[in-house]
Amino acid sequence: MTEAAATTTPEVPTRRRTTNVGIVGAGAVGATIAYATLMRGAAQQVALFDVNGAKARAEALDLSHGIQFVPMAHVEGSDDVAVLSDSDVIIFTAGAKQKPGQSRLELAETTIALVRQIVPRLVEVAPDAVHILVTNPVDVVTYAALKASGLPSSRVFGSGTVLDSSRLRFLLAEHTGVAVQNVHAYVAGEHGDSELPLWSSASIASVPLLDWPGLDGTGLLDAEVRDRIARDVVESAYRVIEGKGATNYAIGLAASRILEAVVYDERRVLPVSSLLENYHGISDVCLSVPSLVHADGVGDRIEVPMTDAELDGLRRSAEAVRATAQRFGL
Ligand SMILES: O=P(O)(O)OC[C@H]1O[C@](O)(COP(=O)(O)O)[C@@H](O)[C@@H]1O
């Protein structure tokens, strides 16, 4: 052994940088996103920020008590926005609480005012974060957040129709008797009543859904069935809300899946809501279309081939979202 080799300093393993995820709003949706994120091991630091500090701290404590059973992480809760400092990703779930007699529209107005007030503070404490908006009406809220942030449009996007697409896939899987993972179909447009399934590009096992032959003659997808399933997707949330007052699990899983696409730089195709610029001629509105999600946020919007009817539907959806945005002076 030479003298030089004998004195070489042993290599010290470099510590892996942790992923910090901040969640605005410690209500049912925010807390469930935190839970799903921890279960999936997608972040090592999870911070919950809520104006109700006691609730944020209690949720953080409850989650912390379960850390033994999930990949190592640290959870914190606070009513001080500084708890979100240096977040890599911030997921926004906070919204105004509906007051007795308040209309949905008035509620949305208060929520947008809240977004305009909080988002600049988020940019101050976490200047490099990618922002994922979940609060409804998510397309308009995303547009408001983007304007309030002053950030490039790639860094601010909404959960959009990722959840609606998973509801669609679930219903198609049930109807056809095929595993949900093998159903490839997107809901595009508004996360709301004007959304539309992109039937012409949907498939199972490379068979276009419009030509789906069924299995043993069952589970056919004729126009009537497709219309019923499309209606069911739109009404899904109402049904859950009727029974339990809110939805939280599926959106929690959907949001944590989007988060993973960012933290692992996956370039995953997801129908998130982002600012469209000449997407099939549609511009200046936040709307969901299949898009690449990676470490810098949302990238290319995939120009999915559409039938004339689908294109019309997407344009109508864009108009509906734009009209709501204009009502709030956006
Ligand atoms: O049906 P296939 O070709 O086996 O693909 C299954 C894969 O597709 C996925 O469902 C993703 O599908 P999408 O690209 O349509 O979102 C994965 O979750 C799954 O592993």
Side-chain angles (χ1 to χ4, degrees):
M1 192 185 283
T2 65
E3 204 181 316
T7 56
T8 303
T9 319
E11 224 174 78
V12 180
T14 47
R15 229 181 74 192
R16 223 166 66 86
R17 199 189 156 280
T18 57
T19 297
N20 300 353
V21 170
I23 298 174
V24 179
V29 172
T32 310
I33 292 173
Y35 182 70
T37 300
L38 292 167
M39 289 279 283
R40 297 168 74 103
Q44 291 72 50
Q45 298 277 347
V46 175
L48 290 164
F49 164 64
D50 197 293
V51 283
N52 183 345
K55 172 90 160 93
R57 282 187 291 276
E59 292 291 4
L61 195 59
D62 195 4
L63 289 162
S64 301
H65 292 160
I67 292 298
Q68 180 192 338
F69 312 111
V70 296
M72 191 53 207
H74 178 79
V75 192
E76 226 179 308
S78 176
D79 53 0
D80 183 347
V81 75
V83 75
L84 304 176
S85 293
D86 300 326
S87 294
D88 299 296
V89 182
I90 294 183
I91 306 183
F92 196 106
T93 71
K97 273 217 168 69
Q98 195 154 14
K99 297 195 182 103
Q102 196 178 29
S103 71
R104 265 179 143 188
L105 216 61
E106 287 165 341
L107 180 71
E109 199 164 8
T110 322
T111 296
I112 286 162
L114 186 80
V115 166
R116 283 173 161 158
Q117 182 202 330
I118 299 178
V119 166
R121 292 164 65 200
L122 303 179
V123 177
E124 261 171 49
V125 299
D128 299 325
V130 166
H131 298 257
I132 305 172
L133 285 297
V134 174
T135 305
N136 281 319
V138 71
D139 304 291
V140 177
V141 164
T142 301
Y143 192 78
L146 176 62
K147 300 278 159 186
S149 70
L151 294 172
S153 60
S154 56
R155 299 250 308 271
V156 183
F157 63 93
S159 51
T161 56
V162 174
L163 173 58
D164 315 69
S165 299
S166 74
R167 285 173 175 152
L168 174 68
R169 291 172 185 216
F170 163 74
L171 292 169
L172 287 169
E174 292 262 290
H175 181 79
T176 56
V178 171
V180 67
Q181 289 81 2
N182 297 125
V183 178
H184 304 279
Y186 294 103
V187 171
E190 176 196 12
H191 171 59
D193 294 350
S194 71
E195 68 188 21
L196 64 144
L198 299 179
W199 292 118
S200 70
S201 51
S203 67
I204 294 174
S206 304
V207 179
L209 278 196
L210 293 179
D211 302 330
W212 181 245
L215 299 177
D216 299 325
T218 64
L220 296 170
L221 286 164
D222 55 35
E224 200 181 310
V225 173
R226 292 199 304 272
D227 286 351
R228 177 175 52 72
I229 289 178
R231 264 198 317 279
D232 277 3
V233 171
V234 175
E235 286 163 13
S236 298
Y238 297 120
R239 265 195 223 138
V240 178
I241 290 166
E242 241 172 60
K244 59 178 254 188
T247 64
N248 62 309
Y249 293 118
I251 184 61
L253 289 168
S256 63
R257 186 65 196 85
I258 301 169
L259 167 74
E260 281 177 350
V262 177
V263 303
Y264 300 134
D265 193 17
E266 286 181 330
R267 300 180 66 78
R268 171 71 63 146
V269 177
L270 292 164
V272 292
S273 178
S274 68
L275 186 73
L276 298 187
E277 284 164 52
N278 198 18
Y279 182 87
H280 283 297
I282 301 171
S283 297
D284 197 30
V285 64
C286 287
L287 216 58
S288 291
V289 296
S291 310
L292 276 194
V293 180
H294 49 57
D296 298 325
V298 60
D300 293 48
R301 282 61 160 179
I302 317 289
E303 285 245 353
V304 180
M306 292 186 200
T307 62
D308 289 347
E310 286 168 347
L311 263 179
D312 276 357
L314 193 67
R315 289 196 187 109
R316 274 199 302 276
S317 197
E319 278 316 310
V321 173
R322 213 178 269 122
T324 314
Q326 279 166 2
R327 244 182 266 164
F328 302 122
L330 292 166

